[in-house]
Amino acid sequence: MANSIAIGLGVVAVIGAALSLRAIIRVLRRARLHLDTIFAEELDDRPSPRPRQ
């Protein structure tokens, strides 16, 4: 009986950790895309380093 409870709690802990990891990865991806957008906008606004001929 005790082993089945321990196994059940272990399975719940593993599933919880996997779901948390998935959520963290999604948040980090969204943040990276947001930063990429900001950098792209900032770089587009910069004047060209070389004068045009």
Side-chain angles (χ1 to χ4, degrees), residues 1-2 5-6 9 18 20-21 24 27 29 31-32 34-36 40-42 44 48-49 52-53:
M1 184 73 177
I5 293 173
L9 288 175
S20 296
L21 184 62
I24 289 169
V27 167
R29 278 188 185 155
R32 187 190 71 203
H34 185 67
L35 285 175
D36 287 345
E41 288 175 0
E42 290 295 322
D44 286 344
S48 176
R52 295 185 180 176
Q53 296 176 351

Side-chain angles (χ1 to χ4, degrees), residues 14-27:
V14 168
I15 291 172
L19 291 175
S20 296
L21 184 62
R22 181 178 174 221
I24 289 169
I25 290 171
R26 290 179 72 193
V27 167

Side-chain angles (χ1 to χ4, degrees), residues 2-18:
N3 285 339
S4 63
I5 293 173
I7 291 170
L9 288 175
V11 168
V12 168
V14 168
I15 291 172

